[in-house]
Amino acid sequence: QVQLVESGGGLVQAGGSLTLSCTGSGRTFRRYGMAWLRRVPGAEREFVAAISWSGGSTYYADSVKGRFTISRDNSGNTVSLQMNSLKSDDTAVYYCAVEARPFGSGVSGPNDYDYWGQGTQVTVSS
């Protein structure tokens, strides 16, 4: 059974930092691109960042570029999102996701991720 478990969300003041982690099991995750997306109530899920299956390429939404960093550990099973200089606009539920097809970039449409984490709330107070 494939599972993605997220941790690290919470409440932080604007300008602060948080690190989210996502650990996968039940699949050889190092063969798959992975991503973080977020959603605020009433809106669609928004792409935040992605990392390729090899870890050699990363991609970011313009809104987080320069502030967020995505990485994965050597096993490939854990993907982290370091979030710095947080803004109130970053408040959302954050989800990690894994691509359905192996050896990808991590950047896919929402329907092309076949497993998602349960989500972790990030709240940035101004």
Side-chain angles (χ1 to χ4, degrees):
Q1 180 182 2
V2 177
Q3 283 190 314
L4 295 173
V5 179
E6 298 139 345
S7 61
L11 173 65
V12 64
Q13 288 189 332
S17 299
L18 279 176
T19 300
L20 306 182
S21 293
C22 172
T23 299
S25 60
R27 172 182 282 184
T28 307
F29 282 91
R30 63 179 180 271
R31 297 180 182 173
Y32 293 83
M34 297 184 71
W36 287 94
L37 298 90
R38 66 188 181 188
R39 181 160 61 185
V40 298
E44 296 292 323
R45 278 175 178 162
E46 173 191 25
F47 171 79
V48 176
I51 188 164
S52 64
W53 70 277
S54 66
S57 298
T58 56
Y59 307 87
Y60 298 94
D62 288 343
S63 59
V64 306
K65 201 171 294 183
R67 300 188 296 120
F68 290 12
T69 303
I70 188 171
S71 62
R72 65 194 306 167
D73 70 352
N74 288 337
S75 74
N77 290 338
T78 297
V79 176
S80 298
L81 185 68
Q82 173 68 42
M83 306 185 293
N84 298 327
S85 302
L86 283 160
K87 307 175 182 179
S88 56
D89 287 348
D90 296 318
T91 296
V93 178
Y94 284 71
Y95 300 87
C96 67
V98 59
E99 288 185 307
R101 293 185 175 183
F103 309 120
S105 67
V107 181
S108 289
N111 293 334
D112 294 321
Y113 299 107
D114 59 349
Y115 289 97
W116 297 77
Q118 81 282 3
T120 186
Q121 176 71 46
V122 171
T123 303
V124 183
S125 63
S126 56

